[in-house]
Amino acid sequence: QADEKFGKNSIVYVDDVLNQEALMRLLNYCQSATLFFETKVENAGGHLGAYVVDGFAPPLLFQIAEELRVALPRILGDISLRNLWSYKYTQRESGILVHKDQAKVNINLWISPNEANLEPDRGGLKIYDATQLHMPRSVTPPELQGESGRRILAEYSNLTIPFRQNRITIFDSSLPHESDVGAWAPGYTNRRISITFLFGDADTED
């Protein structure tokens, strides 16, 4: 079903992707890992980042990536996993502003507890249907970055996907998107944690 829905509008989300054991292992790993040492400046969100090139590479994540490929043959097919990272957000921040990712397919996985999210209709992603804009596929042009991008994209329809624990959102990486972080309960274990898988190279894999 996800394969078919993705083919219609290049966006689909799926709930309850991981079994409970895998979900808890991944959550515990992210909450205890000491690899979240990239600090985004406040005007870029203020969150912490951990990247595969810096050691954020538990075998479970690569197992998940491979099983996603098997489960989503039409979407992922034979395209390779190009990048992998995780962000850990503060309780109240704007999150990542409008951007595109340098890949063919973006998969976001959310793993924090649902009860930590104080705004259940928010906390996830806002994805813009801006296919009519003539833009490089894998580069976010300056005019779309930050608040100016929001003003331009306000003319286009968008899909807001609320946060749910154990939900993946799959979309065409060329679609402009931004965080819709909302408000979160206090406490370290209530921080919003997202994991991003980037598949394929936008410039070479069709």
Side-chain angles (χ1 to χ4, degrees), residues 94-195:
S94 60
I96 304 172
L97 298 180
V98 174
H99 67 287
K100 300 191 296 179
D101 289 309
Q102 296 182 1
K104 185 174 183 181
V105 178
N106 184 312
I107 298 182
N108 270 213
L109 168 63
W110 300 321
I111 61 173
S112 302
N114 287 327
E115 55 269 23
N117 182 10
L118 300 180
E119 298 181 80
D121 59 338
R122 297 187 61 193
L125 276 175
K126 183 178 287 186
I127 305 172
Y128 295 89
D129 181 13
T131 52
Q132 297 173 348
L133 284 173
H134 298 290
M135 304 177 295
R137 177 180 173 87
S138 60
V139 178
T140 308
E143 61 270 22
L144 282 190
Q145 296 176 13
E147 293 300 327
S148 63
R150 284 180 174 155
R151 288 192 291 271
I152 293 172
L153 292 169
E155 301 178 13
Y156 296 87
S157 62
N158 68 78
L159 178 63
T160 298
I161 302 174
F163 176 96
R164 294 291 184 274
Q165 185 183 47
N166 208 11
R167 168 176 285 177
I168 59 169
T169 300
I170 310 165
F171 58 98
D172 184 329
S173 295
S174 69
L175 295 175
H177 55 282
E178 62 179 323
S179 304
D180 184 39
V181 174
W184 292 72
Y188 176 75
T189 57
N190 289 322
R191 288 193 171 193
R192 178 186 188 269
I193 299 176
S194 65
I195 298 171

Side-chain angles (χ1 to χ4, degrees), residues 75-87:
I75 298 174
L76 298 179
D78 294 327
I79 63 176
S80 55
L81 178 67
R82 294 295 192 186
N83 210 342
L84 174 65
W85 65 71
S86 178
Y87 288 139

